């Protein structure tokens, strides 16, 4: 049973930083493609970032590129999203996602339908 548990959300001022964490349980963490998504009220779920290997190829959504960094620590079964220079438009529920398929991971594969397993989300509010 795959379980993803996010944490680290909260309220922050414009220009601030925040780090989200996602711990994976119940599967071989290191073999899965991992990603962060977000969804604001009334909007579709949006791909934020994805990564396969630690320190390997990553892919970011246009709106967060150069401000957010995705990091994975396979030894700790943990995925991180380091967020900097936060803007009010970054306000959303942030979700961790995982999928056993490696195809396209860390490249162009950043659509919600590409991922099978999801966490419950953690809220980020920027004001």
């Amino acid at each position: 049973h795959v379980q993803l548990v996010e944490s680290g959300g909260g309220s922050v001022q414009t220009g601030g930083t925040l780090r989200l964490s996602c711990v994976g349980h119940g599967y071989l963490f290191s073999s899965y493609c991992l990603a962060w998504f977000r969804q604001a009220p009334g909007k579709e779920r949006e791909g934020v970032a994805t990564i396969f290997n630690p320190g390997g190829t990553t892919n970011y959504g246009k709106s967060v590129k150069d401000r957010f960094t995705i990091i994975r620590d396979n030894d700790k079964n943990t995925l991180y999203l380091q967020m900097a220079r936060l803007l009010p438009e970054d306000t959303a529920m942030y979700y961790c996602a995982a999928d056993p398929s490696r195809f396209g991971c860390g490249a162009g594969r950043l659509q919600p339908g590409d991922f099978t397993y999801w966490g419950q989300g953690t809220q980020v509010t920027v004001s």
Side-chain angles (χ1 to χ4, degrees), residues 27-118:
Y27 66 104
L28 186 58
F29 182 88
S30 62
S31 68
Y32 275 52
C33 184
L34 300 176
W36 286 99
F37 287 80
R38 67 185 184 186
Q39 189 166 18
K43 294 188 177 181
E44 294 186 351
R45 191 162 294 192
E46 173 191 11
V48 175
T50 183
I51 185 171
F52 180 58
N53 290 316
T57 304
T58 55
N59 186 36
Y60 293 90
K62 290 180 180 179
S63 61
V64 306
K65 196 172 183 179
D66 298 328
R67 297 189 298 122
F68 291 9
T69 304
I70 187 170
I71 302 166
R72 68 185 290 168
D73 186 338
N74 288 344
D75 292 336
K76 296 181 179 179
N77 280 15
T78 303
L79 178 71
Y80 302 97
L81 184 67
Q82 183 67 45
M83 304 185 292
R85 303 195 303 278
L86 282 160
L87 303 169
E89 48 263 46
D90 294 319
T91 295
M93 185 72 78
Y94 282 71
Y95 298 92
C96 172
D99 194 84
S101 174
R102 303 181 181 188
F103 179 77
C105 187
R109 183 175 152 210
L110 194 54
Q111 296 295 322
D114 294 329
F115 292 84
T116 304
Y117 303 103
W118 295 83

